[in-house]
């Protein structure tokens, strides 16, 4: 390759990299770091959602790309909201997304002793002091965006007195809220985060990891940079709301004199339109029984997406389409649906299922006869092979595939009309039965034995093709049809009282559906395309071998169009 061509290729590679990769490349080239070490640091106070997936995949992906290290670390510095349940759910989510931390699992609580020692060091340097002010007084003393803060009376204490008071805090001599440790920085700083922030508070709470060993706990803005520095993290990648906290992050690692301080870089969050991600709102939905848990398939927690049937590959595709930038943007839910369709269309078997079934009786089919028809598992992917499907004189079809008085351009079954039974025969409607409420219960047809395989030897054509399931061999199942839990026309929040605008039709349960006999041995989280209905997943929570439950992942129709790449 000519030198000019090599230069052009190199320039294209640089352009294709996101701004974080460009920063990392510069740091490596200038010798700021000789490796790349990232981390994902969730607080175990709830379940992860789709936005966290972006952070997980970004941090893990960078470590992989630069052949560096990736840490899984829990920022468990606030025992008032943390639970072991959340720790375990987060671990499961991160593993499911494919972010392998190997043996690099850490907890902020692992470093409580070093954090305490660091706070003592700050006191000895005259960079921290014990305050008696209440939370309200601290807010009042902090000032406003246009007025500087006032000096805390505790800042006048001697180093010796502060050391004694801080040790007394650790030893449990004060009640919650009685005293805090503040960093001494600048009460006139234009950045409110630098106006002597609180770095330790008294909290007589049992911790899920350390029990009752500690009754003082570090604040997040102090703990986080310490954790990163101890672990050797090089690039501490976080979301944009922490941009104003970066000076405090840098101050902590500088004043504690870490030899290789990490660098904080901020990127834009992943926002998904018309979804609920707030933990407070989800907790309320769970407590009021509107959803059946943090993993209800109508939510966008990672656990909920997994239960609904989304794949790790589809989430990765979605995150890649959203990209990495400094500018906040909002993604549309149909883009996420596009990604799961793209992922499943070639690897999911296509199964016939009568979701809202009515009986179809073939009047002239030999009584008691059963044929086995060979049916391809996926017409677009021959590698998935084929299966044997039983065909008999009594079938189930979907109720929507028959109409007594059809509108124009309705090509399915109606009196006198002929259609194709998928993979089988031509049949012609000759009658139907109703129950006492006027609902059609049975449709009668005759079949053309010469049209096996769905083609007539005399060349006649039919415009409609419908799917079916042999009644004698059908597998019964419950099917759940999910829509957005939010009323999309109204938006997420009610402007008057801040409540959620819930969609009353977000879940439709079909108690009796019939599927092909091949479905009797399915396993939790297995995914299929139900012909003409959409993609479905075996529910991992409620489905049992003797009482199958399927969740609709997504319908077949898409409103999302992938933007064309420029150039």
């Amino acid at each position: 390759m000519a030198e000019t061509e090599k230069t052009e290729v190199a320039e294209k590679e640089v352009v294709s990299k996101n701004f974080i990769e460009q920063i990392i490349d510069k740091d490596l080239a200038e010798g700021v770091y000789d490796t790349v070490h990232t981390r994902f640091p969730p607080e175990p106070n709830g379940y992860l959602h789709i936005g966290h997936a972006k952070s997980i995949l970004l941090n893990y992906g960078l470590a992989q790309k630069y052949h560096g290290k990736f840490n899984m670390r829990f920022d468990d510095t606030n025992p008032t909201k943390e639970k072991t349940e959340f720790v375990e759910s987060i671990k499961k989510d991160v593993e499911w997304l494919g972010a392998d931390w190997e043996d690099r699992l850490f907890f902020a609580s692992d470093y409580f002793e070093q954090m305490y020692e660091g706070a003592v060091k700050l006191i000895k340097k005259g960079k921290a002091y014990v305050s008696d002010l209440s939370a309200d007084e601290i807010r009042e003393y902090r000032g406003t965006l246009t007025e500087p803060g006032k000096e805390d009376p505790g800042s006048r204490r001697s180093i010796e007195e502060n050391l004694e008071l801080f040790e007394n805090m650790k030893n449990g001599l004060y009640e919650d809220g009685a005293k805090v440790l503040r960093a001494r920085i600048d009460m006139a700083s234009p950045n409110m985060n630098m106006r002597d922030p609180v770095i330790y508070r008294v909290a007589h709470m049992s911790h899920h990891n350390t029990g009752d060993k500690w009754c003082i706990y570090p604040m997040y803005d102090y703990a986080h940079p310490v954790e990163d520095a101890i672990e050797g993290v090089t690039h501490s990648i976080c979301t944009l709301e922490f941009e104003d906290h970066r000076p405090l992050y840098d101050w902590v690692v500088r004043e504690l004199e870490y030899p290789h301080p990490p660098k904080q870089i901020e990127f834009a969050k992943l926002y998904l339109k018309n979804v609920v991600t707030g933990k407070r709102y989800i907790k309320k939905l769970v407590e009021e029984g509107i959803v059946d848990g943090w993993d209800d398939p109508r939510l966008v927690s990672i656990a909920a997406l997994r239960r609904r049937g989304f794949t790790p590959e589809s989430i990765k595709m979605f995150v890649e389409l959203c990209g990495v930038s400094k500018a906040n943007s909002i993604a549309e839910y149909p883009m996420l649906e596009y990604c799961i369709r793209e992922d499943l269309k070639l690897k999911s078997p296509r199964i016939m299922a009568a979701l809202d079934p009515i009986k179809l009786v073939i009047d002239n089919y030999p009584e008691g006869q059963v044929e086995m028809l060979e049916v391809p598992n996926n017409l677009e992917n021959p590698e998935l092979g084929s299966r044997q499907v039983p065909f008999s004189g009594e079938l189930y079809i979907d109720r929507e595939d028959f109409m007594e008085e059809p509108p124009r351009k309705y090509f399915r079954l109606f009196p006198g009309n002929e259609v194709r039974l998928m993979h089988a025969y031509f049949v012609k409607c000759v009658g139907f039965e109703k129950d006492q409420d006027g609902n059609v219960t049975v449709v009668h047809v005759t079949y053309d034995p010469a049209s096996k395989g769905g083609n007539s030897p005399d060349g006649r054509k039919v415009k409609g093709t419908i799917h079916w399931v042999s009644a004698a061999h059908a597998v019964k199942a419950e099917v759940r049809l999910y829509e957005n839990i939010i009323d999309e026309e109204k938006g997420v929040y009610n402007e008057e009282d801040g409540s959620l605008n819930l969609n009353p039709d977000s879940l439709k349960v079909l108690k009796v559906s019939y599927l092909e006999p091949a479905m009797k041995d399915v396993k939790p989280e297995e995914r299929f395309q139900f012909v003409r209905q959409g993609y479905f997943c075996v529910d991992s929570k409620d489905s049992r071998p003797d009482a199958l439950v399927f969740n609709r992942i997504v319908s077949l129709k898409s409103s999302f169009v992938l933007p064309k790449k420029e150039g």
Side-chain angles (χ1 to χ4, degrees):
M1 186 185 290
E3 197 63 39
T4 54
E5 290 179 310
K6 288 182 179 178
T7 303
E8 288 176 3
V9 170
E11 287 176 352
K12 287 181 180 178
E13 287 180 351
V14 170
V15 170
S16 69
K17 291 187 175 183
N18 63 54
F19 79 96
I20 296 177
E21 292 169 338
Q22 292 174 19
I23 292 171
I24 291 174
D25 286 346
K26 186 172 183 291
D27 286 343
L28 293 174
E30 294 177 355
V32 177
Y33 305 107
D34 58 7
T35 187
V36 173
H37 194 159
T38 62
R39 82 289 170 271
F40 175 62
E43 298 175 67
N45 59 2
Y47 281 62
L48 301 183
H49 57 68
I50 184 69
H52 294 109
K54 180 176 181 178
S55 182
I56 295 166
L57 295 171
L58 174 60
N59 278 284
Y60 181 70
L62 289 169
Q64 292 293 103
K65 182 169 186 174
Y66 289 93
H67 307 290
K69 295 177 181 177
F70 169 77
N71 287 5
M72 176 68 205
R73 182 222 301 149
F74 288 93
D75 264 320
D76 55 343
T77 59
N78 185 7
T80 59
K81 297 181 179 180
E82 296 162 359
K83 295 180 182 178
T84 302
E85 172 196 352
F86 297 142
V87 170
E88 295 306 314
S89 73
I90 290 170
K91 285 163 65 176
K92 186 175 181 180
D93 289 344
V94 175
E95 284 181 321
W96 179 74
L97 282 172
D100 183 6
W101 62 77
E102 298 176 346
D103 59 347
R104 307 193 64 78
L105 175 63
F106 304 104
F107 291 83
S109 52
D110 294 338
Y111 316 125
F112 279 172
E113 193 67 49
Q114 288 122 302
M115 290 177 191
Y116 176 78
E117 291 170 358
V120 170
K121 182 174 183 176
L122 291 176
I123 293 171
K124 289 180 176 178
K125 291 177 69 173
K127 297 292 184 178
Y129 60 89
V130 173
S131 170
D132 304 322
L133 297 181
S134 67
D136 289 339
E137 289 171 329
I138 287 175
R139 275 191 291 272
E140 181 186 339
Y141 272 59
R142 187 176 287 132
T144 67
L145 293 173
T146 56
E147 298 176 354
K150 296 186 294 184
E151 182 187 23
D152 187 319
S155 66
R156 305 185 194 117
R157 287 184 168 123
S158 67
I159 289 175
E160 292 71 24
E161 186 180 1
N162 280 313
L163 287 172
E164 181 181 354
L165 289 171
F166 188 50
E167 185 174 1
N168 289 342
M169 286 171 61
K170 184 191 77 164
N171 292 336
L173 300 187
Y174 309 118
E175 295 180 358
D176 293 3
K179 296 187 187 300
V180 295
L181 183 70
R182 299 181 72 175
R184 190 194 308 274
I185 306 180
D186 182 4
M187 288 302 291
S189 172
N191 186 335
M192 300 289 281
N193 297 297
M194 300 297 280
R195 294 185 184 178
D196 291 11
V198 174
I199 60 175
Y200 260 95
R201 81 281 197 194
V202 177
H204 292 269
M205 293 286 295
S206 183
H207 189 280
H208 74 94
N209 209 21
T210 59
D212 298 322
K213 181 178 179 181
W214 296 90
C215 62
I216 56 169
Y217 291 97
M219 303 299 287
Y220 179 87
D221 277 349
Y222 169 72
H224 193 82
V226 173
E227 298 156 29
D228 285 344
I230 289 173
E231 292 176 9
V233 168
T234 56
H235 298 85
S236 182
I237 299 163
C238 55
T239 46
L240 279 179
E241 69 263 33
F242 291 101
E243 189 169 26
D244 289 341
H245 297 246
R246 192 198 318 155
L248 178 54
Y249 182 101
D250 293 340
W251 183 91
V252 170
V253 294
R254 182 174 63 252
E255 292 298 338
L256 292 181
E257 302 172 32
Y258 287 106
H260 303 290
K263 175 182 288 188
Q264 178 175 304
I265 306 171
E266 306 87 20
F267 70 98
K269 272 185 176 180
L270 194 165
Y271 289 100
L272 198 55
K273 189 175 181 180
N274 285 332
V275 301
V276 184
T277 55
K279 292 171 184 173
R280 176 168 62 93
Y281 286 100
I282 295 176
K283 184 181 179 185
K284 188 176 181 183
L285 291 173
V286 173
E287 290 175 347
E288 294 181 357
I290 296 170
V291 298
D292 73 350
W294 289 77
D295 61 349
D296 186 291
R298 289 167 289 179
L299 301 175
V300 291
S301 65
I302 295 176
L305 291 169
R306 181 171 68 246
R307 182 180 169 193
R308 182 156 176 174
F310 281 81
T311 61
E313 293 80 7
S314 66
I315 304 298
K316 290 174 187 175
M317 186 190 306
F318 176 66
V319 168
E320 288 172 4
L321 286 176
C322 291
V324 177
S325 72
K326 275 277 191 183
N328 282 323
S329 60
I330 299 177
E332 300 282 345
Y333 194 85
M335 186 163 85
L336 179 59
E337 293 180 322
Y338 165 84
C339 293
I340 187 62
R341 288 189 190 97
E342 284 295 298
D343 186 49
L344 293 181
K345 69 180 182 181
L346 293 181
K347 62 187 186 186
S348 295
R350 297 179 181 179
I351 301 296
M352 293 187 289
L355 301 190
D356 183 11
I358 56 174
K359 185 74 71 74
L360 183 82
V361 176
I362 307 175
D363 292 343
N364 62 334
Y365 194 79
E367 186 175 352
Q369 179 173 305
V370 177
E371 296 180 68
M372 299 303 293
L373 305 180
E374 186 169 354
V375 175
N377 287 325
N378 188 321
L379 286 170
E380 294 183 68
N381 184 3
E383 291 184 5
L384 290 185
S386 61
R387 66 191 184 281
Q388 294 290 311
V389 178
F391 182 87
S392 63
E394 291 193 2
L395 311 173
Y396 288 116
I397 63 171
D398 263 307
R399 183 173 300 276
E400 65 179 18
D401 287 338
F402 171 81
M403 292 189 76
E404 182 180 355
E405 297 179 1
R408 291 182 66 245
K409 295 189 177 180
Y410 180 84
F411 300 121
R412 291 171 241 176
L413 274 175
F414 55 87
N417 192 44
E418 189 173 42
V419 301
R420 177 187 294 106
L421 292 178
M422 189 174 287
H423 310 298
Y425 297 97
F426 284 11
V427 295
K428 185 175 183 178
C429 180
V430 295
F432 57 92
E433 302 173 27
K434 292 183 176 181
D435 61 19
Q436 59 185 12
D437 297 320
N439 299 310
V440 174
T441 55
V442 181
V443 176
H444 289 271
V445 298
T446 57
Y447 87 117
D448 178 359
S451 64
K452 187 172 183 179
N455 293 295
S456 174
D458 62 12
R460 74 181 187 278
K461 304 292 184 182
V462 295
K463 291 185 176 180
T465 299
I466 65 174
H467 56 276
W468 50 272
V469 178
S470 173
H473 306 87
V475 173
K476 184 179 174 181
E478 176 181 305
V479 174
R480 298 170 181 175
L481 305 180
Y482 292 101
E483 301 292 345
N484 195 341
I485 197 168
I486 292 300
D487 185 329
E488 296 185 5
E489 292 185 2
K490 296 179 180 178
V492 179
Y493 304 110
N494 186 309
E495 293 181 4
E496 293 182 3
D497 59 9
S499 62
L500 295 173
N501 290 318
L502 297 177
N503 172 13
D505 301 317
S506 62
L507 172 60
K508 181 179 180 181
V509 179
L510 304 175
K511 288 291 186 180
V512 180
S513 297
Y514 290 110
L515 321 177
E516 289 183 30
M519 304 297 282
K520 66 182 179 181
D521 295 322
V522 294
K523 296 178 177 60
E525 296 189 13
E526 274 195 274
R527 302 168 186 88
F528 304 89
Q529 184 192 122
F530 289 178
V531 174
R532 292 176 43 221
Q533 300 288 352
Y535 292 97
F536 291 76
C537 173
V538 183
D539 188 83
S540 58
K541 191 172 184 178
D542 297 333
S543 188
R544 304 189 309 274
D546 61 339
L548 296 175
V549 177
F550 286 82
N551 302 325
R552 183 169 65 186
I553 309 168
V554 66
S555 64
L556 294 177
K557 294 180 181 179
S558 174
S559 61
F560 175 78
V561 178
L562 186 67
K564 292 183 179 179
K565 291 183 179 180
E566 295 182 4

